[in-house]
Amino acid sequence: MPERVALAPAPPAGAGLPADGLVAVVKRDCPTCRLIAPVLAQLGPGLVVYSQDDPAFPAGLADVRDDTGLDVSVALGIETVPTLLRFGGGTEVGRTEGWLREAWEELAGVAGLGTGLPEYRPGCGSLTHDLEVADELLVRARGGSLAARRLEIAALEDEAEALFERGFTDGLPVVAPTPARVLRMLQGTTREPGEVVAVVPPNLAGATVEKVAINAVLAGCRPEYLPVVLAAVEAASTDEFNAHGLLATTWGAAPAIIVNGPVARALGMNGGGNALGQGNRANATIGRALQLVIRNVGGGRPGEVDRATLGHPGKIGFCFAEDEAGSPWEPLAVARGIAPGTSAVTVFAAEGPRGVVDQISRTPDSLARSLAAGLRAVAHPKLALAFDATLVVCPEHGRVFAQAGWSRGRLAAELAELLLLEPAEIVRGAGGIAEGIPAGAARGPVPKFRPDGLMIAYAGGGAGMFSTVIGGWVGGPGGSRPVSREVGS
Amino acid sequence: MHDFVALEGLGIPTMFVVSSEFADAVDAQARALGYAAIPAVYVPHPIQDRTDDEMRALADQAWLTAPVSA
């Protein structure tokens, strides 16, 4: 269901409201309103009645006004009908909702109201809270703040088909970004719709908060996800991350996002079982929104500037939370310089994940050797200083390191030591494999990864001694470096 | 391609050398940057696993025969 939103301070409230006297807001569709219609007649000719759905209801009263446009109801902040209000000196001095004889008599200053009626009946929801009506009101109040070109979809066109045919999708159906949905999405941030968040490659197009919100709607995000999407778009659009190169390379990696901090919990993100898989809306749609921004704002489409030879399924979207509560280590974002307790995204180049099995090792040394063996295969077992990688340590592997007192830094250092490759093993032709480093290119052992080229995160379910290697792309200048950014409001 | 635009903007005649596999990427990016076409030399694919001598031969062949669009 769409989020209900608070409306901006609304239209001309004063219009026609009495400076002194009683006002009732009703709708015919409400049984309580119909029940108390005779009571309204008892309140005398000075009563002003606003009818939300039928100007002819209630019949026989002196001053029933048409509020089917709901302007007065919005201005008065009506939540329930009937609502009886008293004005004095031009301002509201009291109101009662639903029907409670005692409250009505006190507010009206009239005794003996509705004597044949029950003492109490709850009211009904104001029409301003009907979802479709609320959308109309929202668009009426704020639609003018949207700058995007409007697309009309014909009544006989299928919405999902129309959006696919216009090229807005990644191949899966998207949520139609109607003005109401985009406005609701924009409620998720305090940033102005027109603010340029980033210049998005490959076309170097300016992405406004509104454009990002549109793509977040397309992706299926809830409004509260928007600040995370905005931070991810900012991070992915930096020169350091080099999304242009990552997109244009024939290598299949793509941007992935790790979320840290309170926002991950607040959004119910998954850093536990199946964290890298399907089934969690925030994980699935935040990653997808970033990819749709690159596609729809940046112009990065497969077969055009996206040259991936094969790609991987995570190019639809790849986003997960780190399991900070279970982790023996400081959060990844903190290790990367973000202040503790701060929500942040880390965007990194990612292939599809590949598990590393070790169900036997009880010592950190043995387990580190297993993980190093898995990491050695990144790009090619005989290539060194080629591609970056991310290692996602699962809880049952994390336990082994935690019990031995290994910090994240210690694990990284041990892995770096284990991943010093001997030139004789990796030179071209060695092992009967032509691929490898050129002869004479190295005199001594060569590190598999550049310094900081291996990122270590912690996530996963409580059972299973299966960590995961996520290969990256060329690291450093000319390639892509992971980028962390705080999540704003 | 962005470099092409930047260099042309500085008045430096520029062209593009790329393997034939990337022709549609050139077209897409050229359109996005507001060009109907960009002067390009397309060398035959593959190139990644070619030796230096083979690459020189490809370059010579491209120089002599590849269509140049402007």
Side-chain angles (χ1 to χ4, degrees):
Chain A
M1 295 286 269
E3 288 292 286
R4 190 167 287 162
V5 297
L7 289 160
L17 287 169
D20 297 281
L22 290 169
V23 171
V25 182
V26 298
K27 66 176 182 185
R28 176 189 284 280
D29 192 40
C30 164
T32 305
C33 294
R34 294 198 298 272
L35 180 78
I36 57 93
V39 175
L40 298 175
Q42 285 183 273
L43 295 178
L47 171 72
V48 177
V49 178
Y50 286 94
S51 182
Q52 292 186 333
D53 59 349
D54 180 1
F57 170 81
L61 295 179
D63 195 352
V64 177
R65 301 181 185 179
D66 180 352
D67 195 36
T68 50
L70 298 173
D71 290 334
V72 173
S73 294
V74 169
L76 294 176
I78 301 298
E79 300 281 334
T80 302
V81 286
T83 291
L84 183 67
L85 308 96
R86 175 169 285 286
F87 283 82
T91 57
E92 181 186 330
V93 294
R95 74 168 66 188
T96 180
E97 296 177 330
W99 162 248
L100 179 62
R101 187 196 324 279
E102 189 185 334
W104 278 60
E105 288 181 344
E106 187 185 334
L107 193 64
V110 177
L113 290 179
T115 47
L117 302 182
E119 287 296 305
Y120 169 70
R121 276 284 183 279
C124 301
S126 166
L127 202 53
T128 49
H129 288 321
D130 176 280
L131 285 175
E132 281 187 21
V133 174
D135 274 2
E136 281 177 30
L137 292 173
L138 183 62
V139 173
R140 200 194 307 162
R142 297 199 188 158
S145 67
L146 297 177
R149 178 171 51 99
R150 302 293 205 276
L151 292 175
E152 295 292 334
I153 293 181
L156 293 179
E157 267 188 295
D158 181 276
E159 207 170 68
E161 295 294 339
L163 290 165
F164 176 78
E165 282 161 14
R166 283 166 174 77
F168 297 140
T169 86
D170 46 23
L172 291 173
V174 289
V175 176
T178 60
R181 286 185 176 132
V182 174
L183 288 166
R184 279 201 301 271
M185 183 60 67
L186 286 165
Q187 304 270 330
T189 179
T190 57
R191 299 171 74 166
E192 289 299 317
E195 183 189 341
V196 175
V197 176
V199 176
V200 184
N203 293 351
L204 301 181
T208 59
V209 171
E210 178 184 333
K211 291 283 187 188
V212 176
I214 291 168
N215 284 280
V217 171
L218 286 165
C221 292
R222 293 170 61 91
E224 56 267 37
Y225 305 171
L226 184 59
V228 182
V229 178
L230 289 166
V233 170
E234 284 179 348
S237 302
T238 55
D239 288 346
E240 215 178 345
F241 184 70
N242 186 13
H244 193 160
L246 183 60
L247 186 80
T249 175
T250 46
W251 188 244
I257 308 164
I258 297 178
V259 182
N260 279 108
V263 76
R265 291 189 294 279
L267 301 184
M269 293 192 71
N270 187 10
N274 201 44
L276 276 53
Q278 84 288 20
N280 179 282
R281 180 169 172 185
N283 288 30
T285 62
I286 291 170
R288 189 185 188 202
L290 171 59
Q291 284 286 14
L292 288 174
V293 167
I294 291 171
R295 177 188 179 91
N296 292 325
V297 181
R301 298 182 188 85
E304 297 179 17
V305 178
D306 184 341
R307 306 307 304 173
T309 307
L310 284 168
H312 68 90
K315 290 183 75 177
I316 292 282
F318 192 173
C319 175
F320 61 99
E322 199 179 35
D323 174 18
E324 293 181 21
S327 174
W329 304 316
E330 76 277 26
L332 173 69
V334 173
R336 294 179 48 77
I338 301 286
T342 307
S343 295
V345 296
T346 298
V347 174
F348 63 105
E351 296 179 71
R354 177 178 46 220
V356 179
V357 176
D358 187 333
Q359 306 185 94
I360 305 294
S361 290
R362 300 281 293 269
T363 67
D365 306 270
S366 170
L367 183 54
R369 285 173 183 276
S370 281
L371 298 177
L375 284 160
R376 181 170 172 162
V378 167
H380 190 289
K382 287 182 61 190
L383 288 177
L385 291 173
F387 290 2
D388 285 357
T390 296
L391 172 67
V392 183
V393 175
C394 70
E396 289 215 78
H397 283 169
R399 179 182 66 223
V400 174
F401 295 122
Q403 285 172 351
W406 279 29
S407 65
R408 176 191 264 117
R410 169 86 186 271
L411 175 58
E414 298 280 352
L415 289 171
E417 187 68 27
L418 291 164
L419 286 163
L420 286 171
L421 309 184
E422 290 298 331
E425 292 179 23
I426 62 174
V427 71
R428 290 181 182 170
I433 299 171
E435 182 60 276
I437 65 168
R443 291 170 190 271
V446 188
K448 175 71 183 177
F449 300 110
R450 67 183 181 91
D452 299 325
L454 175 64
M455 197 162 69
I456 300 176
Y458 180 94
M465 301 188 76
F466 315 126
S467 292
T468 280
V469 170
I470 305 172
W473 184 50
V474 179
S480 174
R481 277 177 290 178
V483 174
S484 297
R485 280 284 182 281
E486 283 186 24
V487 175
S489 56
Chain B
M1 297 288 273
H2 290 284
D3 293 341
F4 167 88
V5 174
L7 289 168
E8 285 281 338
L10 293 171
I12 302 170
T14 309
M15 65 186 301
F16 204 78
V17 183
V18 66
S19 89
S20 54
E21 273 294 308
F22 293 85
D24 43 7
V26 171
D27 287 346
Q29 187 76 91
R31 278 197 309 277
L33 297 176
Y35 290 80
I38 280 182
V41 173
Y42 294 101
V43 300
H45 209 76
I47 53 169
Q48 209 115 25
D49 57 354
R50 302 295 99 165
T51 64
D52 289 354
D53 285 344
E54 286 169 330
M55 289 296 276
R56 285 191 194 93
L58 280 178
D60 288 343
Q61 185 189 350
W63 180 250
L64 294 172
T65 63
V68 176
S69 59

